[in-house]
Amino acid sequence: MSEQNRSSEVLLKVQEKYFPPEEIVKRAWIKDYEKLYAESIRDRESFWAKVAEELHWFRKWDKVLEWNFPYAKWFVGGKTNITYNCLDRHVQNGRRNKVAYIYLDEDNNERKITYGELLELVCRIANGLKSLGLKKGDRVSIYMPNTIEAVATMLACARIGVIHSVVFAGFSEGALRTRIEDAKAKVVFTATYTKRRGKKVELLPTVKKAIEGLDFVEKVVVWDRDSEGIKEGEKFVDFYELVKTSKPYCEPEEMDAEDPLFILYTSGTTGKPKGVLHTTGGYMVQTYFTSKVVFDLHEDDIYWCTADIGWITGHSYIVYGILANGVTSLLVEGAPDYPDPGRWWSYVEKYRVNVFYTAPTAIRMFMRYGEEWPAKYDLSSLRILGSVGEPINPEAWHWYYKHIGGERCVIVDTWWQTETGSHMITTVPSYPAKPGKAGKPMFTVEVDVVDKDGNPLPPNTVGFLVIKTPWPSMLRTCWGEPERYEKYWKTIEGVYFAGDLASIDEEGYVMILGRADDVINVAGHRIGTMEVESALVDHPSVAEAAVIGKPHEVKGESIKAFVILRKGVEPSEKLVEELKDHVKKVLGPIAVPEEIEFVEKLPKTRSGKIMRRVLKAKELGLDVGDVSTLED
Ligand code: WTA
């Protein structure tokens, strides 16, 4: 109850409206959101058919939607290839020499690649994949830094119908192994290293450990960044050798609209990460459309999404949706504040960035460094600022608006998930925004906030966020685990359960309050409590562990672990460090608990389930609520 009271206080504070500047409204693709939204709800299928017609299909669909609850098929019978729409279509229509990406590393080394050159690189890798024996439906894991080589590898897979599974290069060997194993990847792509804060972070040794004993992994393709020579043996192939020895053109595979495009693993409440599966047609259409209208992309725009291709934001809004619009993007490797906190702003000035998309955690970090850093640079090219990954608190919103946007820009706070594939709730640039509220549902999307039985709640009441109808870029299943997919639609019967807490105000603006489940959002990264607990229990000194998320000023949430040690093991500071190191080794730096507390006992239900809710309430000094199921 007390959490609800706190949220209503917050609600009152976020009612002010920010109207977009006239110049932004004038050039916006969407001028009349409300009218178009109402139309889209009346006829969702015609709406998406019209959007799909802007793209290229080898064969047109017979039917827009086949909804066989909870399974959806979009653009049934349609044949297309997403890389054809992202590359060939532009190359054939005057954008061959237009820059697709401006890549930058921490030393400001710049590499530009045009649409024509990118198509050739993608084709060469695709032919290379074929020469390694890969065919449509096979899986490839990509464990690479945020670079042109990584983007081109994703596209090369899509070119020939190979399903890619990108694994964030910040994950460690355990997390990588789980993902390679689950997808049964025949080939793994990697680089010798990535660079962060001026230091090399080795990737190849992690891959070598991760694939030990996994016989189904036939080849590892390595981008040898310093041309040191790959001396690891027969299983290992040199990336640029493969590129050089392959032909420069590869026919795009005619993909069925419902053929799988990629798997992306994400954390859930229970068990190992789920392999969220996206398919070709619907994902292509909706990422293309949302990129265009939410970022209001026009021919000459310079766009920059600061995410990493290891996450869904990178997939949809660095690669597929953005390339489908044929604009020029920045692609940046390394830390935002290295060598100094001016790095990002210097790029905005130098490349005259118009649309900038980042996460609240980054904004809060820059708030700490102080406004003098952005003030050193000319940020006047910016027009649209995006936010994603976690709720943006009104303070951060205002700072972003004032110190980055110069009070001239529009902020779009986009709520969506790995599972949704594309933006679900946000305002469009021509529509007023409310700081701290994501905004309104996107076209054809119908959302609600309900109680645990599915009853709609009155305005400004906190409940569970649900999506009521299918949308083109929705996940189709969880790889190999259809029951986990069905759970999204059966937790509250008949609607998609997002796992977030939210409220809707009288004007229909949705405010997201955070996760309703045991997922922790650390700096915009989803981490399952279970994953961290398993990593801890995997250490020989640990008998049991429970993990919760705690509010954190910069990261949104941080991880706290409660640990019961095995008999005879003494708690110590040294052991705390050892356990942190262990989690880092198994999962990666982002999953390391900030705090570890040794305890004698954990609150459990009579059936033995850890009550994290009780731990969290106690930790935060809140009412522990109903504890009638507590063991003792
Ligand atoms: C959270 C990232 C508030 C939310 C695209 C969701 C947000 C989870 C927002 C998905 C936002 C994402 N405001 N919360 N604008 N965007 N979230 O799968 O809790 O990595 O369920 O996708 O991030 O995280 P995921």
Side-chain angles (χ1 to χ4, degrees):
M1 235 32 239
S2 56
E3 255 194 83
Q4 289 234 346
N5 291 341
R6 285 197 327 164
S7 5
S8 9
E9 271 170 43
V10 180
L11 287 178
L12 290 175
K13 277 197 243 150
V14 279
Q15 292 295 359
E16 61 193 310
K17 269 195 204 171
Y18 279 71
F19 288 85
E22 211 173 299
E23 315 83 76
I24 290 183
V25 179
K26 235 188 267 161
R27 87 200 276 283
W29 289 112
I30 306 294
K31 296 224 173 27
D32 198 345
Y33 162 81
E34 273 164 26
K35 183 163 154 269
L36 192 60
Y37 178 76
E39 274 171 29
S40 78
I41 294 297
R42 236 174 286 129
D43 190 352
R44 128 177 338 107
E45 293 180 31
S46 306
F47 182 93
W48 287 117
K50 229 170 100 190
V51 176
E53 275 159 18
E54 293 177 26
L55 297 167
H56 178 270
W57 297 79
F58 300 119
R59 181 185 185 277
K60 204 181 157 171
W61 56 91
D62 303 312
K63 212 171 155 199
V64 178
L65 169 65
E66 209 175 276
W67 180 223
N68 184 8
F69 178 87
Y71 292 97
K73 285 185 181 164
W74 284 88
F75 306 108
V76 185
K79 303 264 184 220
T80 188
N81 185 295
I82 198 166
T83 70
Y84 190 93
N85 280 294
C86 288
L87 301 169
D88 307 58
R89 198 165 57 92
H90 306 310
V91 170
Q92 289 160 20
N93 291 297
R95 294 183 182 134
R96 181 177 154 210
N97 295 321
K98 180 172 179 174
V99 172
Y101 291 106
I102 305 168
Y103 159 81
L104 291 146
D105 69 10
E106 282 183 342
D107 305 316
N108 295 333
N109 292 312
E110 175 200 280
R111 177 182 168 201
K112 289 182 177 163
I113 188 162
T114 64
Y115 276 91
E117 290 163 344
L118 185 58
L119 175 60
E120 183 179 324
L121 178 60
V122 167
C123 284
R124 284 180 182 273
I125 304 169
N127 285 326
L129 285 167
K130 282 188 181 171
S131 74
L132 297 177
L134 286 166
K135 45 183 195 330
K136 188 173 168 184
D138 286 341
R139 275 84 55 208
V140 160
S141 294
I142 303 176
Y143 183 69
M144 294 176 94
N146 216 34
T147 52
I148 289 170
E149 284 73 6
V151 172
T153 302
M154 291 166 72
L155 292 162
C157 292
R159 187 80 177 169
I160 58 168
V162 162
I163 305 169
H164 61 68
S165 159
V166 181
V167 182
F168 175 55
F171 277 126
S172 301
E173 57 186 86
L176 176 61
R177 184 186 176 88
T178 316
R179 286 159 176 78
I180 295 174
E181 207 171 7
D182 191 77
K184 294 275 172 309
K186 274 194 183 168
V187 172
V188 179
F189 274 72
T190 192
T192 39
Y193 63 86
T194 179
K195 244 175 147 180
R196 203 166 168 89
R197 304 195 171 283
K199 280 198 214 103
K200 277 189 187 176
V201 180
E202 305 279 348
L203 299 177
L204 181 54
T206 307
V207 173
K208 279 186 1 206
K209 276 184 254 154
I211 63 163
E212 257 168 41
L214 302 184
D215 295 334
F216 53 84
V217 178
E218 291 166 13
K219 294 282 176 207
V220 178
V221 181
V222 188
W223 172 28
D224 180 10
R225 298 188 80 170
D226 292 339
S227 309
E228 289 163 339
I230 305 297
K231 310 174 202 78
E232 327 290 326
E234 247 174 54
K235 215 176 198 174
F236 295 78
V237 178
D238 183 296
F239 179 87
Y240 273 110
E241 260 318 296
L242 192 72
V243 166
K244 263 187 264 156
T245 52
S246 297
K247 291 236 153 57
Y249 181 72
C250 170
E251 280 296 330
E253 182 79 29
E254 290 199 9
M255 301 284 284
D256 192 274
E258 283 301 331
D259 277 337
L261 176 62
F262 65 83
I263 303 168
L264 185 58
Y265 287 88
T266 191
S267 295
T269 302
T270 52
K272 60 180 171 50
K274 323 178 231 206
V276 166
L277 183 83
H278 282 289
T279 56
T280 305
Y283 177 83
M284 172 178 85
V285 169
Q286 204 166 0
T287 54
Y288 158 75
F289 178 73
T290 48
S291 298
K292 177 172 164 177
V293 307
V294 175
F295 300 131
D296 202 45
L297 295 177
H298 291 260
E299 192 62 45
D300 291 337
D301 276 334
I302 304 289
Y303 166 88
W304 181 14
C305 168
T306 67
D308 188 284
I309 48 129
W311 310 106
I312 192 68
T313 306
H315 282 61
S316 300
Y317 299 111
I318 293 179
V319 184
Y320 293 113
I322 300 302
L323 289 178
N325 279 280
V327 299
T328 301
S329 287
L330 263 64
L331 179 67
V332 176
E333 183 181 3
D337 54 348
Y338 185 89
D340 66 49
R343 183 182 186 206
W344 277 9
W345 319 123
S346 75
Y347 293 165
V348 172
E349 176 181 280
K350 178 161 183 203
Y351 297 101
R352 310 304 294 147
V353 173
N354 308 108
V355 182
F356 180 74
Y357 192 32
T358 196
T361 189
I363 300 163
R364 290 191 295 262
M365 179 183 83
F366 285 112
M367 277 171 83
R368 281 210 168 169
Y369 284 126
E371 58 246 34
E372 55 277 22
W373 283 100
K376 285 186 200 178
Y377 300 92
D378 178 355
L379 308 181
S380 61
S381 57
L382 290 170
R383 199 173 71 246
I384 290 159
L385 303 176
S387 175
V388 62
E390 40 171 336
I392 177 163
N393 47 311
E395 295 73 20
W397 195 101
H398 282 109
W399 192 89
Y400 197 24
Y401 182 75
K402 185 163 177 209
H403 298 291
I404 306 304
E407 299 179 332
R408 295 168 284 101
C409 296
V410 158
I411 296 183
V412 290
D413 176 5
T414 60
W415 177 87
W416 60 295
Q417 307 177 299
T418 305
E419 294 88 337
T420 71
S422 60
H423 301 151
M424 292 284 110
I425 301 173
T426 173
T427 47
V428 288
S430 63
Y431 200 80
K434 290 186 187 180
K437 291 195 174 176
K440 303 248 180 161
M442 275 307 277
F443 302 106
T444 78
V445 175
E446 286 179 285
V447 301
D448 211 342
V449 167
V450 301
D451 67 15
K452 65 177 185 351
D453 302 315
N455 305 306
L457 294 170
N460 299 320
T461 313
V462 178
F464 300 111
L465 178 65
V466 298
I467 306 176
K468 298 197 284 188
T469 43
W471 62 98
S473 66
M474 62 190 257
L475 79 163
R476 297 303 196 263
T477 192
C478 295
W479 186 253
E481 299 178 301
E483 57 302 338
R484 286 181 97 179
Y485 168 73
E486 291 185 4
K487 202 162 171 228
Y488 287 100
W489 294 91
K490 295 191 169 161
T491 302
I492 293 176
E493 191 59 37
V495 291
Y496 171 85
F497 184 79
D500 278 359
L501 291 172
S503 67
I504 305 181
D505 71 15
E506 296 82 354
E507 292 181 299
Y509 283 74
V510 181
M511 179 170 175
I512 312 290
L513 292 124
R515 297 290 304 190
D517 54 10
D518 288 324
V519 172
I520 308 178
N521 191 329
V522 184
H525 303 318
R526 267 168 79 167
I527 298 172
T529 40
M530 277 277 287
E531 286 168 75
V532 184
E533 287 162 6
S534 313
L536 284 165
V537 173
D538 182 56
H539 188 279
S541 303
V542 177
E544 278 189 82
V547 158
I548 60 163
K550 273 177 82 168
H552 186 281
E553 214 185 307
V554 175
K555 295 194 248 176
E557 280 190 290
S558 66
I559 302 174
K560 167 145 191 189
F562 298 87
V563 168
I564 303 180
L565 293 173
R566 278 183 195 274
K567 267 217 170 69
V569 181
E570 286 303 315
S572 69
E573 265 315 302
K574 198 171 147 260
L575 187 56
V576 168
E577 290 314 308
E578 208 181 302
L579 294 181
K580 287 185 180 178
D581 267 358
H582 185 72
V583 176
K584 188 168 162 186
K585 196 174 141 236
V586 176
L587 291 175
I590 55 169
V592 174
E594 191 125 315
E595 277 176 80
I596 295 179
E597 185 179 327
F598 298 114
V599 293
E600 299 288 323
K601 239 180 175 182
L602 289 168
K604 285 190 192 156
T605 60
R606 275 176 222 116
S607 57
K609 267 171 66 180
I610 295 170
M611 293 182 85
R612 298 189 189 87
R613 176 173 68 76
V614 172
L615 280 172
K616 189 164 173 169
K618 276 181 78 178
E619 181 71 24
L620 304 182
L622 301 171
D623 182 0
V624 293
D626 180 11
V627 287
S628 55
T629 57
L630 202 65
E631 186 185 32
D632 64 340

